[in-house]
Amino acid sequence: MLVSGKDTSGASAAENEQRFVGKSIDVPKANSHAKRMPTAPANLFLEGNFAPLRHEFNLAKTRQFEIRGKVPRDLNGSFYRNGPNPQFEPGPFYHWFLGDGMLHAFHLQRGEVSYLNRYVATPTLELERRAGRNLFLGQRTNMLANLQLVGGNLISLISGLIRDKNADAYTRLIAKANTSVLAFREELFALVESSPPIRLQPTTLASEGFEKFDAGFMAPFTAHPKTDPQTGYLYAFGYRVAGGPRLEYYVINPHGKLVSRTAVETDYAAMIHDFAITRNYAVVPVFPAVTSLASIRRGRIAEWQPEKGASVIVMNKDGDTASLRRFELPVGYVYHYANAYEDGKAIVVDAIRYERVPLMGSDTEIRAELFEQANNGYLTRFRIDLASGKTETQVLHSEHYAEFPVIDPRLVGEKYEHSFAASASGNNSSAAGIFDGQVSYELSRGKVKADIHDFPRGHFGGEPIFVPTGKPGERKGYLLNLIYSTEDNRSYLAVFDVAKPDKKPLCEIWLPHRVPYGFHGTWRQHRN
């Protein structure tokens, strides 16, 4: 089988300057790209299916896939998945969160399938291609002193430090765009929380530059913005590692214009990965994962400092600072929120909560968290009483470690009953993968029912994506999960009937190669 692409792992600087012209090559034999890079030190995030994939593929015809089962003809759209994928060998302090972004796309139309993957063309990616080597990842260097990386942006960087007391110009230079992908309006964006979004062509994944939201925008921007399904407005925030303001809250109208930008001070510089919205409020929890330039140079975005306490910021969704209130929370950490909604004079927020921030320790500590269940995340409910100022925390389900919760996107900010997440049983003791199943939660009348579907042994997935086909709130549609098989050393897109989460997939779309473990995806429905 022939695919279109080019391997850049050993390419010269001149070759790396070119943009993958689509020459046909054979699929790499024995999947050699699954092995750890030859000179890399022991590092979990460079091993097995965490290791990078250096090829960009084009699979344009259904016959180029191995399809088990039948692709539903009413599944018409594109499934996107983003993740870190360093193009060059990183330094000894490399962390999973720091790799170059790579987008994978499955385009589905009336039973036909095509696939491609592309690096996100960030300034860092292009600069490193010209240099022919890694300039930033895990090097423990003084980032501001790395003139190769700063280059012609040195003047704007210095002026930003003097004028605004922050390094927003630098966020564009270190934009890895490796965490999430957003379909907003008719456009597609690759996201990482340190930097502005990068706009992509939805079909070809060609990078089209930073999104300015018709307002000259240049600042950190969360990987988890929220689209209000009722109004079409997009809500987001950005936090800063250094300089001020430490936190900003953004409102973008349905036409893609930034209409509100609110500065919010926090008690310390916190890594705030996600937030939630309700019909009337924005809810931004602040947990004591404290971030700094020094911690990033050590290969960790944040350091756990529980003595600093935790809180949640609640304000009107339009960004009115006069409405801002703060409430205390028990110390813990949340990467991802399932949803939030208003219940009388209270706000209910559902999330995956940890006792402490995970993935920020040593390699040994991270392995224990991921493969020995040392710091599990569980579905947890926060209840914020706006009248009394009190907060309550309740673990809803703790049978399996869970992450990446998702819901019907048409119910964001509204009361809901169904959520889906990746799950880990703890039965796989090797470091081959983390999530060996997925869980479907039914939340109604204060009770939680969990249907857990375990994948075949040696198969590991990630964040499921719910594609609804019924009315909002109905458990009708498809659940999509990108799964890696250790035995085959390949990945496949599994399509499940969401009403039968414990059954086998309706179909499996197998690639001739693997897809490294990544983070978040989305579904973009095709217009008829």
Side-chain angles (χ1 to χ4, degrees):
M1 182 185 300
L2 295 180
V3 296
S4 175
K6 185 175 181 181
D7 185 356
T8 64
S9 56
S12 67
E15 290 172 324
N16 284 323
E17 184 79 7
Q18 300 176 0
R19 292 297 304 158
F20 298 92
V21 295
K23 297 179 180 178
S24 292
I25 62 169
D26 290 321
V27 175
K29 295 181 179 179
N31 286 298
S32 59
H33 50 272
K35 300 176 183 178
R36 187 195 304 165
M37 288 176 282
T39 60
N43 185 325
L44 166 63
F45 300 130
L46 297 175
E47 299 174 359
N49 198 43
F50 287 98
L53 171 77
R54 268 27 179 310
H55 291 75
E56 291 181 322
F57 295 90
N58 288 321
L59 302 177
K61 299 183 182 300
T62 300
R63 66 174 180 268
Q64 293 178 287
F65 302 87
E66 177 190 352
I67 297 181
R68 303 176 187 178
K70 191 173 183 179
V71 181
R73 291 184 63 83
D74 63 341
L75 191 59
N76 297 315
S78 296
F79 170 86
Y80 301 98
R81 223 290 309 278
N82 199 355
N85 199 90
Q87 64 173 331
F88 296 109
E89 182 176 341
F93 305 102
Y94 172 70
H95 188 278
W96 195 20
F97 293 176
L98 300 178
D100 298 294
M102 177 176 276
L103 261 291
H104 302 260
F106 289 80
H107 300 309
L108 308 175
Q109 189 70 30
R110 296 177 182 172
E112 296 295 314
V113 183
S114 64
Y115 162 90
L116 73 161
N117 64 306
R118 292 292 183 270
Y119 276 106
V120 184
T122 63
T124 299
L125 187 93
E126 300 302 335
L127 286 167
E128 291 184 337
R129 281 179 171 167
R130 286 198 287 271
R133 65 182 180 88
N134 165 45
L135 295 174
F136 173 74
L137 296 178
Q139 296 288 46
R140 192 178 264 179
T141 59
N142 184 334
M143 294 183 294
L144 301 184
N146 192 339
L147 296 183
Q148 284 191 90
L149 185 58
V150 174
N153 292 271
L154 182 60
I155 294 177
S156 63
L157 171 61
I158 293 175
S159 65
L161 288 170
I162 295 173
R163 182 182 65 251
D164 303 319
K165 297 183 180 179
N166 64 48
D168 282 357
Y170 195 68
T171 70
R172 298 168 68 93
L173 294 171
I174 60 171
K176 292 298 178 180
N178 65 11
T179 307
S180 188
V181 55
L182 167 70
F184 176 57
R185 302 169 70 231
E186 295 300 314
E187 298 170 323
L188 191 73
F189 301 95
L191 304 175
V192 67
E193 61 202 56
S194 65
S195 312
I198 289 187
R199 189 171 58 253
L200 306 167
Q201 206 288 327
T203 302
T204 66
L205 302 185
S207 299
E208 299 178 342
F210 287 107
E211 176 59 40
K212 297 181 180 179
F213 297 114
D214 198 26
F217 180 82
M218 180 178 65
F221 189 93
T222 177
H224 293 286
K226 309 298 180 188
T227 303
D228 187 324
Q230 308 303 320
T231 66
Y233 272 74
L234 184 71
Y235 300 92
F237 70 93
Y239 71 87
R240 289 181 174 83
V241 172
R246 286 177 175 164
L247 178 69
E248 280 191 298
Y249 174 73
Y250 314 126
V251 180
I252 296 118
N253 71 17
H255 303 291
K257 180 179 176 57
L258 179 69
V259 295
S260 176
R261 187 170 180 174
T262 305
V264 179
E265 282 305 325
T266 57
D267 293 334
Y268 48 85
M271 179 179 72
I272 309 172
H273 184 67
D274 196 2
F275 80 126
I277 62 170
T278 69
R279 188 172 296 181
N280 295 294
Y281 299 103
V283 184
V284 187
V286 181
F287 295 106
V290 182
T291 186
S292 66
L293 293 176
S295 64
I296 292 175
R297 287 198 297 272
R298 290 192 290 270
R300 298 294 178 265
I301 295 174
E303 296 175 337
W304 187 235
Q305 298 182 21
E307 68 279 3
K308 292 188 178 294
S311 62
V312 58
I313 297 167
V314 177
M315 62 181 171
N316 290 350
K317 209 161 52 175
D318 62 5
D320 175 20
T321 54
S323 69
L324 191 149
R325 299 176 64 186
R326 301 174 194 268
F327 304 83
E328 289 187 3
L329 286 178
V331 170
Y333 194 78
V334 170
Y335 273 115
H336 303 116
Y337 299 90
N339 198 22
Y341 60 89
E342 295 165 35
D343 183 17
K345 294 184 178 180
I347 295 175
V348 174
V349 184
D350 293 340
I352 302 296
R353 180 184 178 273
Y354 300 84
E355 289 297 322
R356 62 182 183 278
V357 64
L359 304 181
M360 291 296 150
S362 66
D363 187 77
T364 299
E365 291 169 333
I366 291 173
R367 289 175 190 268
E369 288 178 327
L370 295 181
F371 310 120
E372 299 173 20
Q373 311 282 286
N375 180 24
N376 283 354
Y378 298 124
L379 183 64
T380 302
R381 173 162 291 179
F382 301 93
R383 185 177 179 86
I384 306 164
D385 191 319
L386 299 177
S388 69
K390 296 181 179 179
T391 59
E392 299 175 358
T393 303
Q394 174 192 4
V395 176
L396 297 179
H397 189 263
S398 59
E399 183 177 340
H400 278 193
Y401 168 36
E403 250 301 355
F404 303 129
V406 301
I407 65 164
D408 184 335
R410 299 169 300 178
L411 292 177
V412 170
E414 302 289 339
K415 192 168 185 178
Y416 73 112
E417 291 187 353
H418 304 290
S419 180
F420 313 93
S423 72
S425 67
N427 296 327
N428 293 289
S429 58
S430 70
I434 306 167
F435 301 109
D436 57 0
Q438 61 191 14
V439 55
S440 299
Y441 297 111
E442 183 175 339
L443 305 95
S444 60
R445 299 180 182 179
K447 296 181 180 180
V448 179
K449 178 184 176 183
D451 290 320
I452 298 171
H453 173 69
D454 293 326
F455 301 144
R457 187 162 185 83
H459 290 222
F460 298 92
E463 177 188 62
I465 297 295
F466 176 38
V467 181
T469 59
K471 297 178 180 179
E474 288 185 340
R475 192 164 169 171
K476 184 177 181 181
Y478 302 105
L479 209 58
L480 309 184
N481 207 319
L482 189 54
I483 299 173
Y484 169 67
S485 166
T486 57
E487 181 179 358
D488 298 275
N489 200 19
R490 291 191 292 153
S491 297
Y492 60 95
L493 180 63
V495 180
F496 296 86
D497 182 345
V498 76
K500 302 175 182 178
D502 57 339
K503 303 297 182 182
K504 291 182 179 180
L506 298 172
C507 74
E508 298 173 358
I509 304 170
W510 284 75
L511 297 170
H513 58 278
R514 68 186 181 89
V515 174
Y517 295 129
F519 301 127
H520 301 285
T522 195
W523 173 260
R524 182 174 180 268
Q525 188 73 25
H526 290 174
R527 289 182 177 269
N528 295 328

